Amino acid sequence: MFVSWILLSVALEIVLPGEVVEGNVLPNNSESNSKSSIRLKYKMSGHLQFWISLLIMFHSLPKISIIGGDTIYSQVISFKGFHPIYPIERLYDQYLPLITASVIFSFLLSTYLYISSFALDLNGQKRLLAKGGNTGNAVYDFFIGRELNPRILWGSFDLKEFCELKPGLIGWFMLNIGMAAKQYSKRGGSISLSMVSVVLLQGIYVWDALYNEKAILTTMDITTDGFGFMLCFGDLAWVPFIYSLQARYLVDHDPELSVVAIVAILAVQCLGYYIFRSANSQKDAFRRDPSSSEVAHLTYLQTSRGTRLLTSGWWGMARKINYTGDWLITLSWCLLCGFHSPIPYFQAIYFLVLLIHRAIRDDGMCHEKYGDDWLEYKRRVPYLFIPYVI
């Protein structure tokens, strides 16, 4: 089943149309100096793939009705005519086999990537290697990834960008729908408000990532990190199955939250989303055209490398303000599961540790990259996550 999903995602990636855009200028690499100044091209078909995947999984839209309970708080939303092509509630029953298959597939793909990184590309040239994945330590390089942007099909299919967004993220949303269908079946034809909220909010998050697919091209994952087991496992196994943990928990342990509680949690989600999307959009707009009207008023630090570091707007408040918004989004999903178990909060705890680690790693890399300019930037923008707090 997992391999079938991967093959479907690959087929859609190949056949669906999309805008072709250029990524960032690739960094220098001692083994591939001839490639140091190229900019790879990417086809942006993720948004269309999201909707096509849904159409393939379902042949009709569900009919929605409200059925009452003893109080307004116990009212639930009922789907009438929920008829998937595939009995998608089976995803709940096949959860562990799917996880196992995803881990095995990630290992096999990582093995291929490690071995192929030593071969010449189709042009007979050495491959562009990631700076941190070419240490000579086979275990470490296998984990981190030697090649920066491995491609197949004569260079038209970028494996890292594909895995970052397509099968894992869309698969996460499919798993959530499967959990909702299972709850619908077990509750005799109803879905709780918490489940509906989790599926919708996380679905919007997935949709947003794919709609703004171009934004990923400037992230560290694409521009700096090699593609090895760390990203393979994270994209194809960790994200879909850990991030769907809330929906799976709600199948059997719904907290029956009140409408007031749901609204309060939605407010946390909206705040996080506003910070996350506004900050990222501002940064992307500045990188595209610093003179455009939407960002021309922002102040910046001109570095000796010729690049500019924003010192006002969202990025003047905190150096990783987008991380703060992203974590608030994740926290809101966990809150929808109530407080009866710590299990749904694993994602928020893990994600907090991940973001702190990435911020520390990014700080070290930027200090190495910008030197004294980075110290001056930190003096002008002293806060990391929350203005006037930390």
Side-chain angles (χ1 to χ4, degrees):
M1 187 187 303
F2 180 82
V3 174
S4 298
W5 172 251
I6 295 295
L7 292 176
L8 172 63
S9 299
V10 169
L12 292 177
E13 178 75 4
I14 294 173
V15 303
L16 292 180
E19 178 188 3
V20 177
V21 302
E22 289 188 331
N24 277 17
V25 175
L26 297 179
N28 278 327
N29 185 289
S30 59
E31 294 201 19
S32 306
N33 286 329
S34 62
K35 291 186 177 183
S36 61
S37 62
I38 69 170
R39 300 179 67 175
L40 296 175
K41 294 183 179 180
Y42 299 85
K43 183 175 68 172
M44 302 288 101
S45 61
H47 186 224
L48 181 58
Q49 187 167 328
F50 173 82
W51 293 111
I52 296 297
S53 298
L54 286 177
L55 288 175
I56 291 174
M57 294 298 291
F58 302 99
H59 69 264
S60 66
L61 294 175
K63 298 178 181 178
I64 301 176
S65 63
I66 304 293
I67 60 176
D70 297 332
T71 68
I72 187 174
Y73 302 130
S74 61
Q75 289 183 342
V76 296
I77 295 176
S78 176
F79 289 150
K80 302 299 183 182
F82 193 84
H83 303 297
I85 294 175
Y86 171 80
I88 200 168
E89 66 273 9
R90 285 186 57 196
L91 293 176
Y92 175 89
D93 304 314
Q94 298 295 319
Y95 204 72
L96 289 180
L98 285 169
I99 292 175
T100 303
S102 69
V103 173
I104 294 173
F105 185 88
S106 299
F107 178 81
L108 294 176
L109 177 59
S110 303
T111 301
Y112 161 77
L113 292 169
Y114 181 75
I115 294 174
S116 65
S117 68
F118 291 95
L120 299 178
D121 63 17
L122 293 176
N123 295 319
Q125 299 181 3
K126 291 183 178 180
R127 297 173 185 261
L128 180 60
L129 304 182
K131 182 178 180 181
N134 187 28
T135 65
N137 184 317
V139 175
Y140 182 83
D141 292 347
F142 172 84
F143 179 78
I144 293 297
R146 290 189 81 242
E147 191 172 356
L148 185 61
N149 301 99
R151 293 191 163 206
I152 58 174
L153 299 180
W154 299 275
S156 64
F157 193 110
D158 191 285
L159 287 169
K160 183 164 66 170
E161 197 272 342
F162 167 74
C163 290
E164 281 276 318
L165 286 179
K166 315 298 172 49
L169 279 185
I170 301 176
W172 163 27
F173 186 49
M174 294 299 178
L175 285 169
N176 279 357
I177 296 175
M179 301 305 118
K182 187 66 175 182
Q183 190 194 65
Y184 172 86
S185 176
K186 296 186 72 169
R187 290 169 64 110
S190 67
I191 300 177
S192 70
L193 288 175
S194 285
M195 179 65 85
V196 170
S197 299
V198 164
V199 173
L200 287 179
L201 293 180
Q202 294 187 351
I204 292 172
Y205 185 88
V206 171
W207 169 85
D208 176 79
L210 293 164
Y211 181 78
N212 295 285
E213 185 177 0
K214 284 188 288 187
I216 196 176
L217 301 181
T218 60
T219 64
M220 184 185 299
D221 285 355
I222 299 296
T223 63
T224 306
D225 293 336
F227 193 37
F229 183 77
M230 180 181 71
L231 286 181
C232 284
F233 176 80
D235 295 339
L236 303 176
W238 187 269
V239 166
F241 294 101
I242 293 299
Y243 285 31
S244 61
L245 191 60
Q246 289 84 25
R248 180 170 174 81
Y249 176 84
L250 290 172
V251 172
D252 300 302
H253 307 284
D254 196 282
E256 303 295 344
L257 296 178
S258 68
V259 174
V260 174
I262 296 289
V263 170
I265 294 170
L266 290 178
V268 175
Q269 157 81 21
C270 291
L271 174 62
Y273 181 80
Y274 174 70
I275 295 172
F276 176 74
R277 179 47 56 205
S278 298
N280 282 335
S281 296
Q282 186 178 80
K283 177 179 66 176
D284 291 336
F286 186 80
R287 284 176 172 173
R288 287 195 307 269
D289 183 9
S291 63
S292 67
S293 58
E294 58 182 319
V295 294
H297 64 284
L298 298 176
T299 60
Y300 56 86
L301 172 66
Q302 182 72 53
T303 70
S304 58
R305 291 174 55 94
T307 54
R308 301 171 179 178
L309 301 175
L310 282 172
T311 56
S312 66
W314 284 107
W315 301 94
M317 297 181 187
R319 301 191 299 276
K320 294 295 181 183
I321 190 74
N322 58 329
Y323 285 9
T324 303
D326 208 2
W327 188 78
L328 286 175
I329 294 172
T330 302
L331 177 64
S332 69
W333 302 336
C334 302
L335 291 172
L336 288 166
C337 297
F339 299 100
H340 297 297
S341 171
I343 292 176
Y345 288 85
F346 172 76
Q347 183 185 355
I349 296 170
Y350 137 77
F351 197 44
L352 179 62
V353 174
L354 173 68
L355 293 177
I356 293 174
H357 173 264
R358 291 195 66 159
I360 294 173
R361 185 177 67 149
D362 189 47
D363 182 76
M365 293 177 65
C366 288
H367 189 194
E368 179 183 352
K369 180 178 180 180
Y370 296 111
D372 291 340
D373 288 333
W374 185 250
L375 298 179
E376 173 61 20
Y377 171 69
K378 291 174 68 174
R379 186 190 68 79
R380 297 190 190 185
V381 186
Y383 300 103
L384 186 58
F385 297 116
I386 304 175
Y388 305 105
V389 177
I390 184 174

